[in-house]
Amino acid sequence: MQRAIDVRPKVEPRRQEEGTPPPVLVTQDLRVWYGTHPALRGITLGIPECRITAIIGPSGCGKSTLIRCFNRMNDLIPTARIEGRVLFRGQDIYAPEVDPVEVRVRIGMVFQRPNPFPKSIYENVAFGLRLHRKLSRRELDERVEQALRQAALWDEVKDVLHTRSGLELSGGQQQRLCIARALAVEPEVLLMDEPASALDPVATARIEDLMEDLKQRYTIVIVTHNMQQAARVSDFTAFLLDGELVEYAPTEELFTRPRDRRTEDYITGRFG
C-alpha cells in the first residue's frame, strides 16, 4: 500500500550562502528518457524555499520535462523513464512507497493554458478540497475565499461565485482561477509551466505581481521562454541546453555575469 509522503525535514539543511534559504526540492543526477530519446542528462540542482526559480532555455531543451519531474507528472507519460532522485524535504518522491497523488497535493502545478473546469467559480476552487480533504461547508467556504484572495481574484468574482462558470472569465482571470485552485489545497511548492505565454501584457503583469506576493508563503518554480520575464520575477535562474544544466545562479548574476559562454550566447540572442 502506498503511503502519503512525509513532508517533515529529515535533517535541517544548511544554508549554502548568506541570505539564501535551504533547498526544499533537490534533484540528484536526474535523467529522463522518452522512449530512446534522452530529455534530461544528469540534472543536479536545489530549489530554495520561498523564492522564485526560473528555468530558461530554447525550445526542446528539457524545461517542461524538468518541472514535471518535481511532482511526478511524467508518470502519466507511458514512454517516460526516469533515473536519479528528486528529494522533497529530504525524501525521495519517486520511492515506491510514496503516493504520487499526495505529491501533487503538496507540490501543485499551473499549466501553460488556463484549464478551468466547466463548473462554477466556487466549484473550480473547491474541486481539489473535496477530493483530498474532509471539510465542513463553513471550512470549505473559508478555504475557497482564502485561495481566491491569494490569487488576487476575490474582489472580481465574490458576487458570482455560484452563478458564473469558470469558462466565462477572461484569459487572465481563468489563469488566476487555476492558481487559486492549486493554492486551495495548501501546497508548499507551486510549479508554473509558461503561465503567462497565452495572456496579453496586462494579464501577464497581473500574474507576475501575483507571483511576487505568493513567494512570501510558497516556493515557486517557473518555466518561461521569456528571458525578460525571468529577469523581472525570479530570484534564481537555471539555464538548460540539450537536456543539460549549463548554469544555475542568482538571476542577477546569471544575466549580468554568466560564467559559461553558452549562457552568454543565449541571453544575448546569439542562438535560441
Side-chain angles (χ1 to χ4, degrees), residues 9-209:
K10 300 297 183 293
V11 179
E12 184 65 25
R14 296 177 58 186
R15 294 176 183 269
Q16 295 184 355
E17 61 181 67
E18 187 67 27
T20 300
V24 65
L25 273 169
V26 175
T27 69
Q28 297 176 340
D29 196 27
L30 182 64
R31 301 172 184 271
V32 178
W33 291 263
Y34 296 124
T36 59
H37 172 70
L40 293 180
R41 307 168 187 263
I43 304 293
T44 296
L45 58 78
I47 303 296
E49 190 164 21
C50 289
R51 295 291 188 272
I52 300 174
T53 299
I55 303 172
I56 65 171
S59 296
C61 71
K63 301 187 298 295
S64 292
T65 295
L66 176 58
I67 201 172
R68 288 166 181 262
C69 287
F70 290 141
N71 70 344
R72 296 188 56 169
M73 288 295 292
N74 285 321
D75 288 14
L76 306 177
I77 301 175
T79 60
R81 179 167 59 91
I82 298 170
E83 292 182 1
R85 305 176 78 199
V86 178
L87 306 179
F88 176 44
R89 299 203 180 280
Q91 183 173 6
D92 187 357
I93 66 172
Y94 284 89
E97 71 273 13
V98 172
D99 182 356
V101 175
E102 183 64 18
V103 170
R104 293 171 199 140
V105 172
R106 308 309 307 167
I107 305 174
M109 190 162 190
V110 176
F111 297 92
Q112 179 175 0
R113 293 190 175 275
N115 59 341
F117 302 138
K119 301 174 180 287
S120 70
I121 294 166
Y122 182 97
E123 288 301 329
N124 263 273
V125 182
F127 183 83
L129 288 168
R130 294 190 190 279
L131 283 179
H132 302 292
R133 304 285 187 266
K134 293 183 179 180
L135 301 175
S136 68
R137 182 53 188 250
R138 179 179 177 180
E139 291 171 324
L140 195 61
D141 289 347
E142 290 174 349
R143 292 280 284 275
V144 168
E145 178 177 345
Q146 178 187 32
L148 286 167
R149 286 188 182 277
Q150 289 179 326
L153 191 57
W154 173 255
D155 289 339
E156 298 169 44
V157 302
K158 62 184 179 182
D159 296 324
V160 292
L161 287 179
H162 300 280
T163 59
R164 194 171 182 188
S165 168
L167 298 175
E168 298 176 49
L169 300 176
S170 69
Q173 288 175 322
Q174 286 186 10
Q175 192 64 298
R176 282 182 283 145
L177 179 64
C178 294
I179 291 171
R181 188 172 66 200
L183 296 178
V185 295
E186 298 184 329
E188 296 185 42
V189 179
L190 186 62
L191 309 176
M192 308 180 83
D193 192 356
E194 301 271 16
S197 65
L199 304 180
D200 61 56
V202 173
T204 295
R206 292 291 299 272
I207 296 295
E208 291 180 1
D209 290 344

